[in-house]
Amino acid sequence: MKVGIVGSGLVGSAAAYAMVLLGGVREVVLVDLDHKLARAHAEDILHATPFAHPVWTRAGGYEALEGAKVVVIAAGVAQRPGETRLQLLDRNAQVFAQVVPRVLQAAPEAVLLVATNPVDVMTQVAYRLSGLPPGRVVGSGTILDTARFRALLAEHLRVAPQSVHAYVLGEHGDSEVLVWSGAQVGGVPLAAFAEARGRPLTPEDRARIDEGVRRAAYRIIEGKGATYYGIGAGMARLVRAILTDEKGVYTVSAFTPQVEGVKEVALSLPRILGAEGVEATIYPSLDEGEREALRQSATILKEAATSLGF
């Protein structure tokens, strides 16, 4: 199976490397305006394949995407000093206006997997530009936030994170919603499991975990300038879910007709991911506070997309 990655910066190259380590991909093609950069990453990652999986990794132009089942879009521009979020959005929307048509010209059957931030708005931009069914334009959304939430809960409870089932919904950003009310561990409601484990969750514990999830990116960016390993691994996992028609449930972003009264907005909800992208959305049970927080998150995203004309 061939996968294309448009944008060979830190996120795009980390995703390619993670695909080689994870396996399940036969070929990865890196596309970038800076062909020298794309070629360097492709060559470097290819040299890792003897230690991982036999994935043919190469650089090419858009025409090299022909036959790709999934195309990851990690292209975009960085925020300039003094530039507002909306100005950054406008410039990235202009980038997508160039990228999306060229991707679909080469790989019209591909599922588009958006990684560029702010990912929810850029997913909506890509959906509008592509003319594809909404399920075939998927944003990485809150997959990483959900992973952080589960990892921190697991750390507190001293259990494997794979046994924790908890979601982060809405925006991949400051307004994201940690769904405490529906969290479970091994099929047992979170609060009951925590008590039985002798590790009850105090208000202080909840605040610490919330801060750990919500502010993680800020700490990482302060320390090393950008986040890329975590999201790179997440993108590789989503690619495998699509290529294998897994039908797993992931908190990915997609264009949604209505969320808590907010119409036509891209944001993260639990969604079934398979060969054609998002096959179905599973709307979770939320308490009143979580529903209001999700409505606010959807409103913020809707206003940002509307400001761009999308």
Side-chain angles (χ1 to χ4, degrees), residues 182-246:
Q184 295 186 343
V185 184
V188 178
L190 175 62
F193 187 95
E195 289 289 342
R197 183 71 168 137
R199 306 282 297 173
L201 282 156
T202 66
E204 292 75 19
D205 291 325
R206 288 182 178 238
R208 173 180 53 80
I209 291 171
D210 183 282
E211 194 274 342
V213 174
R214 200 177 301 274
R215 304 293 297 178
Y218 292 98
R219 290 191 300 275
I220 294 168
I221 290 168
E222 181 181 2
K224 65 174 190 173
T227 66
Y228 40 92
Y229 291 133
I231 191 58
M235 298 302 286
R237 188 64 187 86
L238 295 180
V239 165
R240 189 169 76 173
I242 295 168
L243 294 182
T244 62
D245 195 22
E246 182 185 282

Side-chain angles (χ1 to χ4, degrees), residues 152-171:
L152 292 176
L153 284 173
E155 180 182 51
H156 176 83
L157 298 170
R158 297 178 183 171
V159 297
Q162 291 81 0
S163 297
V164 179
H165 297 277
Y167 294 118
V168 178
L169 308 180
E171 178 193 13

Side-chain angles (χ1 to χ4, degrees), residues 220-275:
I220 294 168
I221 290 168
E222 181 181 2
K224 65 174 190 173
T227 66
Y228 40 92
Y229 291 133
I231 191 58
M235 298 302 286
R237 188 64 187 86
L238 295 180
V239 165
R240 189 169 76 173
I242 295 168
L243 294 182
T244 62
D245 195 22
E246 182 185 282
K247 303 188 190 305
V249 178
Y250 297 90
T251 52
V252 291
S253 187
F255 182 81
T256 308
Q258 188 272 134
V259 178
E260 295 297 331
V262 181
K263 296 181 179 180
E264 299 187 338
V265 62
L267 79 177
S268 286
L269 292 169
R271 304 183 195 269
I272 298 173
L273 199 60

Side-chain angles (χ1 to χ4, degrees), residues 10-24:
L10 293 172
V11 172
S13 60
Y17 183 52
M19 290 176 205
V20 167
L21 297 181
L22 187 63

